């Protein structure tokens, strides 16, 4: 998910926090999230307990499921996401089918936890992004919320990204706001909340004694290029436990070519997706570097993700303020090779690295929460 700091209220202002924490009693809500990898939708039921005094929301996860994308839907969805020409009728049908996929996840979760519609305050559904064009101020998510509401009997909140784009943002207003409420701010201690999904994005939480609001932006590809290379070269969906990257050698010429992508020099607020780092970009790289062994390609792509994250801090975050801790979540947190590269790069910048598990937040479920 991407976030913006343009045309939005100061997230740290008392009025905004008061509005967010206006639900004084704990409430059970369900979050539905499918990111740029589009391999599964995560459904998480969580009790949110506002703590106005601390300026935070405390969370208690009741349960979660990850519902894989139906096989017949996957091919049709990726054809659309990779900009292959499809008729409008196909987009219309996909909107319904993705809505039903999300609805099934929420319904199965409620059944497994014995939750009735009266038990759940609302369901938040991000939808499945199929096109994101921030420079043109447009974005498209499929997954009709009406099907979710009809199947579960619960009110559904959706279209977060479109509303943010309409307000001049980059398309994900929930990221910095929720990170502020989940992690809070500390005096003299700055945190960087780093999600590594298909795309990697960071929320910057300045120390509480610094007069600067939190902000967020996409640092670049997270697992997208790694997963794409695994599918293309190894016919596997991902590099489980970073095993293949771990046995490969980093190719410096390929690494330099990756780090030369113009996105990395672009000033925040900014966001990206498959349009910049999808299959077309990967195929161009593979054609440009046919001599590089496939294990070495994986090793290089994995190190590239880590370097692009820390370089973004050095370019756009650390020149202004000092930050002390990187908190990692998302699928990338489960890749030991990627995490090793990330910790090594962060050490040179004086950052300690932990995962959201240190805050009792499941790395995989944080975005759904």
């Amino acid at each position: 998910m991407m976030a913006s700091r343009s045309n939005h209220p100061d997230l740290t202002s008392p009025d905004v926090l008061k509005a967010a924490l206006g639900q004084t009693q704990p409430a059970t809500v369900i979050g539905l999230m499918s990111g740029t990898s589009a391999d599964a939708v995560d459904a998480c039921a969580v009790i949110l307990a506002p703590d106005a005094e601390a300026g935070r929301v405390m969370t208690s996860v009741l349960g979660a499921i990850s519902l894989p994308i139906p096989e017949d839907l996957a091919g049709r969805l990726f054809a659309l996401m990779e900009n292959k020409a499809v008729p409008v009728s196909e987009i219309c049908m996909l909107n319904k089918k993705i809505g039903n996929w999300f609805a099934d996840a929420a319904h199965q979760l409620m059944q497994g936890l014995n939750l009735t519609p009266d038990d759940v305050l609302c369901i938040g559904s991000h939808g499945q992004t199929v096109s994101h064009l921030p420079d043109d101020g447009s974005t498209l998510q499929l997954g009709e919320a009406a099907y979710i509401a009809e199947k579960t009997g619960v009110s559904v909140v959706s279209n977060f990204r479109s509303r943010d784009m309409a307000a001049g943002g980059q398309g994900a207003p929930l990221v910095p706001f929720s990170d502020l409420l989940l992690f809070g701010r500390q005096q003299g201690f700055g945190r960087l909340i780093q999600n590594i999904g298909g795309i990697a994005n960071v929320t910057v939480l300045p120390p509480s004694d610094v007069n600067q609001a939190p902000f967020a932006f996409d640092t670049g590809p997270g697992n997208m290029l790694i997963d794409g290379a695994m599918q293309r070269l190894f016919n596997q969906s991902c590099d489980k436990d970073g095993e293949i990257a771990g046995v490969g050698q980093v190719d410096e010429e390929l690494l330099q070519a990756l780090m030369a992508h113009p996105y990395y020099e672009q000033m925040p607020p900014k966001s990206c997706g498959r349009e910049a780092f999808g299959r077309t970009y990967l195929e161009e790289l593979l054609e440009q570097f046919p001599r590089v062994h496939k294990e070495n390609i994986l090793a290089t792509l994995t190190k590239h993700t880590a370097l692009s994250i820390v370089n973004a801090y050095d370019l756009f975050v650390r020149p202004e303020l000092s930050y002390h801790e990187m908190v990692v979540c998302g699928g990338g947190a489960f890749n030991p090779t990627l995490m090793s590269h990330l910790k090594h790069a962060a050490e040179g910048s004086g950052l300690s690295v932990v995962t959201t598990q240190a805050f009792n937040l499941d790395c995989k479920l944080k975005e759904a929460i």
Side-chain angles (χ1 to χ4, degrees):
M1 290 177 68
M2 287 66 72
S4 162
R5 47 179 165 174
S6 61
N7 293 349
H8 292 289
D10 179 358
L11 299 178
T12 60
S13 73
D15 289 342
V16 173
L17 281 174
K18 184 178 179 182
L21 298 168
Q23 179 82 19
T24 56
Q25 298 301 314
T28 298
V29 298
I30 291 174
L32 299 174
M33 180 67 201
S34 175
T36 46
S37 297
D39 53 354
V41 56
D42 293 327
C44 182
V46 60
I47 298 175
L48 302 181
D51 185 342
E53 211 171 286
R56 288 185 60 189
V57 171
M58 309 307 290
T59 63
S60 178
V61 175
L62 293 175
I65 64 170
S66 185
L67 189 64
I69 186 170
E71 194 171 324
D72 63 323
L73 178 57
R76 297 168 66 179
L77 175 60
F78 277 99
L80 178 61
M81 292 169 69
E82 294 292 345
N83 293 321
K84 293 183 179 177
V86 298
V88 174
S89 58
E90 175 72 354
I91 299 173
C92 185
M93 291 176 67
L94 284 172
N95 191 37
K96 172 192 171 184
K97 286 183 174 293
I98 294 169
N100 281 324
W101 172 36
F102 277 45
D104 287 343
H107 188 247
Q108 288 180 29
L109 179 62
M110 289 176 66
Q111 284 189 318
L113 295 173
N114 294 317
L115 293 174
T116 70
D118 290 337
D119 295 327
V120 182
L121 177 67
C122 65
I123 294 172
S125 179
H126 176 270
Q128 178 61 60
T129 298
V130 295
S131 185
H132 186 65
L133 306 170
D135 291 342
D136 293 325
S138 60
T139 188
L140 179 63
Q141 286 70 48
L142 300 184
E144 177 54 56
Y147 293 99
I148 305 170
E150 190 65 26
K151 186 152 194 173
T152 62
V154 179
S155 296
V156 179
V157 186
S158 61
N159 289 327
F160 313 123
R161 304 198 75 179
S162 296
R163 181 61 190 270
D164 189 58
M165 298 289 272
Q170 288 281 305
L174 300 185
V175 178
F177 196 20
S178 62
D179 283 346
L180 171 64
L181 294 179
L182 289 172
F183 297 96
R185 295 173 68 179
Q186 284 184 233
Q187 185 171 350
F189 193 87
R191 280 197 179 95
L192 302 165
I193 314 301
Q194 181 68 53
N195 177 65
I196 309 177
I199 292 295
N201 57 283
V202 64
T203 296
V204 180
L205 295 178
S208 59
D209 52 334
V210 171
N211 186 26
Q212 180 173 328
F215 65 96
F217 62 93
D218 284 356
T219 55
N223 302 312
M224 181 175 289
L225 290 173
I226 298 169
D227 291 349
M230 285 299 300
Q231 293 159 15
R232 172 71 168 72
L233 301 175
F234 294 90
N235 198 29
Q236 297 178 36
S237 61
C238 65
D239 185 9
K240 184 173 174 55
D241 296 327
E243 290 180 355
I244 293 177
V247 299
Q249 299 294 316
V250 172
D251 185 277
E252 291 298 330
E253 187 180 353
L254 173 57
L255 182 61
Q256 288 178 19
L258 286 161
M259 295 302 298
H261 195 289
Y263 179 80
Y264 300 128
E265 298 293 328
Q266 183 182 331
M267 288 288 295
K270 61 178 181 176
S271 58
C272 61
R274 289 186 179 276
E275 295 76 15
F277 296 105
R279 185 178 298 171
T280 300
Y281 175 64
L282 177 61
E283 290 294 340
E284 289 173 354
L285 283 172
L286 295 178
E287 288 179 13
Q288 187 180 351
F289 292 91
R291 61 169 180 79
V292 183
H293 294 167
K294 57 184 183 179
E295 290 84 1
N296 296 347
I297 288 173
L298 263 295
T300 307
L301 290 173
T302 303
K303 184 171 182 178
H304 156 253
T305 290
L307 289 184
S308 65
I309 289 170
V310 176
N311 282 1
Y313 301 164
D314 293 337
L315 286 173
F316 306 120
V317 179
R318 293 175 63 82
E320 299 176 21
L321 296 167
S322 294
Y323 287 83
H324 307 83
E325 186 176 66
M326 184 196 315
V327 184
V328 182
C329 60
F334 298 94
N335 182 328
T337 305
L338 174 56
M339 288 297 291
S340 176
H341 284 309
L342 197 58
K343 288 177 181 178
H344 181 73
E347 283 174 5
S349 298
L351 282 168
S352 62
V353 179
V354 298
T355 71
T356 54
Q357 302 290 161
F359 296 83
N360 200 31
L361 281 170
D362 189 304
C363 295
K364 192 175 185 299
L365 297 177
K366 186 259 181 181
E367 284 200 301
I369 293 171

